Amino acid sequence: QQAFAALRANGRLVAWGRAEFGGNLPAPIASLNDIIELRCNALAFIAKRATGQWVAWGEPSSGGTISPEFAGLTDIVDVSSTASAFAARRANGHVVAWGHPQSGGKVPADIALLNDIVQVAGTQSAFAALRKNGTVVAWGQPDMGGDTSAVEDQLINVQALYASYEAFTALTSDGRVVTWGDPGKGGDSSAVQDQLVGQVSYQVSAVSRGVSV
């Protein structure tokens, strides 16, 4: 929110703004010349190296520090964020996360065991993950989408997930649109369901990846 980072054509990074939120590049990261991708959340930045490894800086408890366990991974294929955490989907179908635990920075043990995750999306403080079988799991702040219990029986045949700041939307193969999270901020679509069912199509994009990818 209070800093910028830019990826240069020569594979190096440059940053400016509030130092504690990523505006000051740590020397080891500033010396790298093989950066190929740059992401951020509200308080930290992460960057992918040509080796497949990711580096991070910014507010440490909000994702600006990657544990050694994850820093050595080279099979991360996509990274999503909440305001203060990151979640990484691995090529083996597992998902890992770091950052503020209450904002999704700690994957529940049962979800960490899953090996069929195909997409992850994040609100301000929760993550939702789409499984290959078309079901959805979530974690983080319950009132911001981290709890799917109210719609769990509807989250089948899901093809794609989308997130607003405090709610999630799931599109299904049979034309349904399922929403949950803060009711006043997109989590309750009951008033417009008659305009949604069978009327919303799903398209693969770099932002939203479903089971067909």
Side-chain angles (χ1 to χ4, degrees):
Q1 290 180 332
Q2 301 180 45
F4 286 100
L7 172 57
R8 299 173 60 194
N10 62 4
R12 293 184 179 275
L13 293 165
V14 59
W16 63 99
R18 287 280 295 274
E20 62 268 42
F21 298 137
N24 184 30
L25 281 172
I29 295 177
S31 67
L32 299 175
N33 63 1
D34 63 348
I35 302 299
I36 58 175
E37 190 173 342
L38 179 62
R39 303 279 184 93
C40 70
N41 62 23
L43 303 170
F45 293 91
I46 57 172
K48 184 178 183 179
R49 302 182 61 185
T51 61
Q53 296 169 301
W54 290 76
V55 294
W57 72 100
E59 215 286 310
S61 65
S62 298
T65 297
I66 303 178
S67 70
E69 176 187 5
F70 302 149
L73 297 177
T74 59
D75 66 343
I76 292 175
V77 295
D78 194 25
V79 179
S80 304
S81 68
T82 59
S84 54
F86 292 101
R89 182 169 58 87
R90 301 179 61 186
N92 61 8
H94 286 279
V95 63
V96 298
W98 65 94
H100 200 292
Q102 292 184 346
S103 293
K106 182 175 177 58
V107 181
D110 57 334
I111 297 177
L113 292 174
L114 300 177
N115 63 358
D116 61 351
I117 303 298
V118 295
Q119 186 204 351
V120 180
T123 62
Q124 178 190 15
S125 298
F127 288 108
L130 173 60
R131 300 182 62 185
K132 194 173 183 178
N133 64 6
T135 63
V136 174
V137 293
W139 68 99
Q141 287 282 5
D143 58 345
M144 294 188 184
D147 180 5
T148 63
S149 58
V151 293
E152 187 172 5
D153 61 339
Q154 302 175 51
L155 292 173
I156 56 174
N157 301 319
V158 174
Q159 286 191 308
L161 297 174
Y162 300 88
S164 68
Y165 200 56
E166 297 186 17
F168 290 104
T169 290
L171 302 186
T172 71
S173 60
D174 53 353
R176 291 177 295 110
V177 178
V178 183
T179 58
W180 71 98
D182 189 308
K185 298 180 180 178
D188 180 2
S189 59
S190 57
V192 293
Q193 275 292 310
D194 61 331
Q195 302 173 58
L196 296 174
V197 176
Q199 303 298 314
V200 181
S201 61
Y202 161 66
Q203 290 186 329
V204 175
S205 72
V207 175
S208 178
R209 297 175 172 86
V211 295
S212 61
V213 176

